[in-house]
Amino acid sequence: MAKKLANHIHKYKKIELGTDKEYLVYKCMHPACSHYIPIALAEGKLCECNRCGEPMIITKVTLNGSNGGPMAKPHCNDCIERKKVKDEDVAAIAAFLSGNETKTN
Ligand SMILES: [Zn+2]
Ligand SMILES: [Zn+2]
């Protein structure tokens, strides 16, 4: 029984433990699982992507991808790329619009 409950890919969320000193861990969000791991040791571990649900490996990108800090809810490269494309689209549209403005002036 217990074996079955543990048989899943952990789905991590960033949690701050401790009061004096900042101590960040990734805690599994599965209801039956109390697993967590210090973020300093999380690199190279398998977890479930918080966006698409696919298995992913925690990398330096995961740990530094959120303004130089660990992602609150780790997501895979595919989901990072998807977001990046979106941001670039927004930037392209903004550049296009500002370009248009200068032309019409
Ligand atoms: Zn778990
Ligand atoms: Zn994903």
Side-chain angles (χ1 to χ4, degrees):
M1 269 290 240
K3 219 176 187 182
K4 208 170 191 183
L5 284 176
N7 189 18
H8 65 265
I9 298 170
H10 300 305
K11 189 172 180 176
Y12 286 134
K13 186 185 175 193
K14 189 175 75 179
I15 305 273
E16 249 180 69
L17 290 184
T19 46
D20 311 343
K21 219 177 171 188
E22 196 180 79
Y23 182 52
L24 293 174
V25 301
Y26 274 147
K27 189 185 178 313
C28 180
M29 288 159 78
H30 278 267
C33 182
S34 58
H35 166 88
Y36 64 87
I37 187 169
I39 282 179
L41 303 178
E43 193 182 344
K45 300 292 180 195
L46 191 71
C47 72
E48 190 180 306
C49 173
N50 274 286
R51 299 261 167 91
C52 66
E54 292 293 320
M56 59 169 273
I57 300 285
I58 294 174
T59 64
K60 286 205 161 55
V61 175
T62 319
L63 299 175
N64 300 305
S66 174
N67 298 321
M71 294 179 187
K73 291 179 171 182
H75 47 277
C76 70
N77 274 330
D78 285 355
C79 293
I80 293 169
E81 287 304 317
R82 239 170 273 162
K83 185 172 179 281
K84 224 189 257 171
V85 167
K86 237 187 195 172
D87 287 348
E88 274 166 19
D89 281 352
V90 171
I93 290 166
F96 177 77
L97 289 176
S98 64
N100 262 6
E101 261 170 41
T102 46
K103 262 177 207 164
T104 48
N105 280 343

